[in-house]
Amino acid sequence: MLTARKRTKRTVATIAATLAASLVIAGCGDGGDEAGDGKSLKLWHYEAPNSAMGIAWKQAIEEFKKSHPGVTVKVEEKGFEQIQKTASMVLNSGDAPDLMEYNKGNATTGLLSKQGLLTDLTPEVTKRGWDKPLSPGVRTTSRYDAQGVMGSGNWYGIPNYAEYTMVFYNKALFTKHHIKAPTTFDEFTAALKSFKDAGVTPLASAGAEYPAHQYVYQLALTKADRSWVDAYEQYKGKPDFHDAAWTYGATTFADWVKNGYIAKSSSGAKAEDAGAAFIAGKYPMFFSGSWWFGRFTSEMKDEWGTFPFPGSKLTLGSGGNLWVVPKGAKNKELAYDFIDITMKKGIQNTLGNNGGVPVAADPPAITDPKSKALIKDFTTYADGDGDGLAFYPDWPVPGFYDVLVSETQKLITGSAKPDAYLDALKKAYDAGAPKG
């Protein structure tokens, strides 16, 4: 997100085992004699098998195999962190896959495109019409200029789904404590206080990864507008890290920790810890992304629901992670064919009915009530006045995710005050942002 959003350890441990039954798995290595012969597709992705994307892409692989008889699909077990940290090195070697899921934004896909490590997909986009179903907000993260800044230039990635953040809530705990799902920010803060007064920490969080710093960003967004987002994310202006929005975000988050709405012990927790605790019914609310939807559907025993973060027309969100084709890929045509399949109605409808946010589904084909609500709320953000998708706070500059994590941990423990926190963000941002 992840945000870069982060994938959980559970994802890494289970993906290969679940896919093995349905895929032809070849041995690891550099592709050997098969590389470049048009008879193998080397694919990396890191989606949980019970996520909407994992389910849909399993179906896409089966359809690909049917339409490409004799072609071996080789899925290698990778984790989000692994790809995030080693992509530049691997793509500079002979071990590059033909197709790879990769995080979007200036600090990731933008950086690789600037380094010349990704294939320019613009001709294929034009030829196959991949751009047609993508709304402007979703399209933004697919294109990068010569400096690796998103929003314009050539196409270096294709998202076949979208994502955004919301508040997941445990309906059983809300009912038990006689609290209604909030629709305004005042009602939201009143709910936080009511749970705390009842001895319940209301918000699941994690400081060692996301979503702690995403809480800060979302709180800032309640006082921001589109021009604020564009200045911060796309350098269309000079961000002020001590303006009303950033100050409110950092101060309110620190107050929430002080008030017991977020546990101080969460400073060392990871995203998996927060999500698993919410699934177990330990917290009534969890602010995070649509990528958790499928897992909550399959694993959570209590009845649960979602609502948009109250009091904000903006939320963290974008097109989903991208299909990118490394510059050194051996079988690019096969990679293009696979991307094409994931954009077809059948795969898109599967995404939509399993808790994903498809970009090209047939609306009447989405029959699951929760999925319909998820897609409706996303559409409100994506198609609303001025576009309500505000991307993720770690995207603007390389390495910013680690800075956000470590500095937000200090806010949680109280070892840094909001002003010092914002000073640290400004320093790291200014050091990595394009000059001039």
Side-chain angles (χ1 to χ4, degrees), residues 19 22 48 62 89 112 175 231 241 250 276 289 307 347 349 351 379 422:
L19 290 177
S22 61
E62 292 302 319
M89 179 178 66
L112 294 190
T175 299
F241 283 87
F307 56 83
I347 303 302
N349 294 343
L351 270 168
T379 302
L422 295 173

Side-chain angles (χ1 to χ4, degrees), residues 71-103:
V71 175
T72 298
V73 180
K74 179 164 68 172
V75 177
E76 295 192 9
E77 180 182 333
K78 304 294 176 183
F80 183 98
E81 295 278 358
Q82 182 181 11
I83 292 178
Q84 184 91 341
K85 293 178 185 292
T86 65
S88 293
M89 179 178 66
V90 171
L91 299 193
N92 247 327
S93 72
D95 291 327
D98 299 307
L99 181 62
M100 181 173 79
E101 178 189 8
Y102 197 55
N103 196 24

Side-chain angles (χ1 to χ4, degrees), residues 45 104 144 157 275 337 368 435:
H45 82 74
K104 61 278 179 203
Y144 297 85
D337 288 349
D368 176 70
K435 303 300 184 287

Side-chain angles (χ1 to χ4, degrees), residues 323-401:
W323 289 126
V324 299
V325 178
K327 192 74 171 179
K330 304 296 194 301
N331 290 299
K332 293 184 181 181
E333 286 298 324
L334 293 179
Y336 304 151
D337 288 349
F338 185 83
I339 294 173
D340 206 51
I341 288 174
T342 68
M343 299 293 281
K344 300 294 186 184
K345 293 290 185 186
I347 303 302
Q348 290 290 304
N349 294 343
T350 295
L351 270 168
N353 277 312
N354 286 279
V357 183
V359 296
D362 181 17
I366 309 303
T367 57
D368 176 70
K370 282 185 179 179
S371 295
K372 288 171 77 74
L374 178 80
I375 296 168
K376 179 182 176 182
D377 286 344
F378 173 80
T379 302
T380 299
Y381 284 120
D383 297 339
D385 294 340
D387 183 13
L389 301 178
F391 310 125
Y392 293 85
D394 57 298
W395 281 9
V397 298
F400 205 42
Y401 179 87

Side-chain angles (χ1 to χ4, degrees), residues 277-358:
F278 177 73
I279 290 171
K282 295 180 180 179
Y283 296 92
M285 287 179 279
F286 180 38
F287 172 69
S288 196
S290 51
W291 51 90
W292 284 98
F293 201 96
R295 185 166 170 191
F296 292 163
T297 299
S298 63
E299 296 184 23
M300 197 158 173
K301 294 180 180 179
D302 288 342
E303 181 64 23
W304 58 277
T306 65
F307 56 83
F309 194 89
S312 181
K313 293 182 179 180
L314 296 164
T315 197
L316 292 74
S318 68
N321 283 337
L322 302 172
W323 289 126
V324 299
V325 178
K327 192 74 171 179
K330 304 296 194 301
N331 290 299
K332 293 184 181 181
E333 286 298 324
L334 293 179
Y336 304 151
D337 288 349
F338 185 83
I339 294 173
D340 206 51
I341 288 174
T342 68
M343 299 293 281
K344 300 294 186 184
K345 293 290 185 186
I347 303 302
Q348 290 290 304
N349 294 343
T350 295
L351 270 168
N353 277 312
N354 286 279
V357 183

Side-chain angles (χ1 to χ4, degrees), residues 217-235:
Y217 188 58
Q218 180 60 71
L219 285 165
L221 291 175
T222 66
K223 304 296 183 182
D225 58 17
R226 190 73 226 173
S227 63
W228 185 93
V229 174
D230 291 343
Y232 175 68
E233 296 280 0
Q234 296 181 268
Y235 317 121

